[in-house]
Amino acid sequence: MKHLKSLFKEQYNPENFFLIAGPCVIEEEELLMEVAEKVSGICKRLSIPYVFKASYRKANRTSVHSFTGIGDVEGLELLQKVGKTFNVPVTSDIHSAAEAAMAAAYVDVLQIPAFLCRQTDILLAAAETGKVVNVKKGQFLSGESMKFAVEKIQGAGNEHIILTERGTTFGYQDLVVDYRNIPVMKHLGQPVVMDCTHSLQQPNQTSGVTGGNPQMISTIAKAAIATGADGLFIETHPEPSRAKSDGANMLRLDLLEELLEKLVELRKVAVKL
């Protein structure tokens, strides 16, 4: 876990879980600053190492009419500004091998979307930047099979890896979380994160907008801490109903502090068991 210490620097706290959180997509600077200020303040008080997350572009949208971003460079520049303003690492997902070097110039962690976790060229390109690479487990994969993603990144000379569980496809319009995947992936020697919001998506809606089940975020997060997750991924927005992406499964920003307080207490118990 040496790369976590390097990533978080003075924030690093091996006694607590770490948090990756922010709005799904970059909508405007004001939103980013509001969320980053609120979440970084909470995390500092609770001694939770924090990575700010927002996507500079959403390449995987159900409808061609869905919002995808404000522009790649414009979005990445705002992410970099957030990191410098609040002294936190920042992350965004990439969608092709060609984007890896571009994004790496602005962010600290490159996130590989679940649908792309087997794409060798993307994994290698991300690895070759030297940045931390967070690979989301595909909805169609077992925890055991993520060893191949790890081997690809390590084979490119990068040991800075995070693995994220985000649920498994269940039928056409739902996901379920198999918590066995958390200890299974931890056995691969990498920190494991639970994506508490995307695991509650209800995809393939006929409306062209992905649904969600945000009232279960607390349940997913508590179970993840109890089963040994090293970190949590939570997308949050001041007004999820007005969010331009994934609003149906995001946590309302004003609910985050109380949830994190409970999770910190749960973590203290879990590490003793």
Side-chain angles (χ1 to χ4, degrees):
M1 308 291 182
K2 291 182 180 179
H3 56 289
L4 293 184
K5 185 175 183 180
S6 176
L7 176 67
F8 292 116
K9 299 175 183 176
E10 65 271 14
Q11 290 187 65
Y12 183 61
N13 179 10
E15 300 302 315
N16 210 351
F17 60 89
F18 63 92
L19 178 69
I20 302 173
C24 180
V25 66
I26 296 170
E27 301 176 16
E28 60 182 6
E29 181 175 349
E30 183 179 359
L31 171 65
L32 297 193
M33 292 300 174
E34 177 183 358
V35 174
E37 181 177 24
K38 177 71 172 180
V39 182
S40 62
I42 296 170
C43 288
K44 184 176 182 180
R45 181 175 70 81
L46 297 175
S47 297
I48 300 172
Y50 175 48
V51 179
F52 178 84
K53 183 271 169 185
S55 297
Y56 63 85
R57 175 158 45 88
K58 298 299 293 184
N60 178 30
R61 301 304 308 275
T62 302
S63 171
V64 71
H65 303 294
S66 297
F67 177 79
T68 58
I70 63 172
D72 291 358
V73 174
E74 292 85 350
L76 286 165
E77 287 177 342
L78 286 179
L79 276 175
Q80 187 178 60
K81 183 175 181 179
V82 167
K84 291 180 178 179
T85 301
F86 298 100
N87 193 30
V88 295
V90 297
T91 185
S92 183
D93 38 0
I94 62 172
H95 317 93
S96 70
E99 292 180 36
M102 175 187 70
Y106 298 90
V107 305
D108 304 283
V109 181
L110 295 175
Q111 179 178 292
I112 309 301
F115 283 127
L116 300 176
C117 69
R118 290 183 53 178
Q119 295 299 112
T120 301
D121 61 340
I122 296 178
L123 292 173
L124 296 183
E128 289 165 2
T129 68
K131 296 289 185 174
V132 176
V133 182
N134 177 21
V135 188
K136 287 196 171 185
K137 182 185 74 64
Q139 301 93 318
F140 43 86
L141 291 179
S142 67
E144 291 93 337
S145 64
M146 288 299 287
K147 69 179 181 179
F148 300 110
V150 171
E151 289 172 358
K152 290 174 184 178
I153 296 169
Q154 290 176 330
N158 191 335
E159 297 288 339
H160 304 158
I161 304 167
I162 296 171
L163 300 177
T164 295
E165 165 64 36
R166 54 96 73 232
T168 302
T169 299
F170 185 72
Y172 289 112
Q173 295 178 319
D174 207 356
L175 297 167
V176 294
V177 178
D178 181 353
Y179 284 95
R180 295 176 297 179
N181 284 324
I182 291 178
V184 164
M185 290 195 291
K186 283 172 68 79
H187 281 305
L188 298 177
Q190 311 302 327
V192 174
V193 170
M194 180 70 231
D195 185 337
C196 303
T197 44
H198 289 98
S199 60
L200 291 168
Q201 285 182 330
Q202 295 173 328
N204 301 318
Q205 301 297 314
T206 55
S207 64
V209 178
T210 297
N213 195 13
Q215 61 268 29
M216 296 297 291
I217 290 173
S218 176
T219 300
I220 294 291
K222 290 174 183 176
I225 294 298
T227 49
D230 301 291
L232 300 175
F233 180 110
I234 300 175
E235 288 190 337
T236 183
H237 192 286
E239 298 181 79
S241 63
R242 299 182 64 182
K244 294 184 178 181
S245 177
D246 280 358
N249 53 263
M250 277 198 278
L251 182 69
R252 206 172 71 226
L253 183 60
D254 63 355
L255 300 177
L256 181 63
E257 185 167 14
E258 182 180 1
L259 173 59
L260 291 178
E261 288 173 344
K262 293 177 180 178
L263 295 172
V264 167
E265 293 303 310
L266 179 59
R267 168 78 173 192
K268 292 176 182 177
V269 175
V271 296
K272 297 177 181 179
L273 300 178

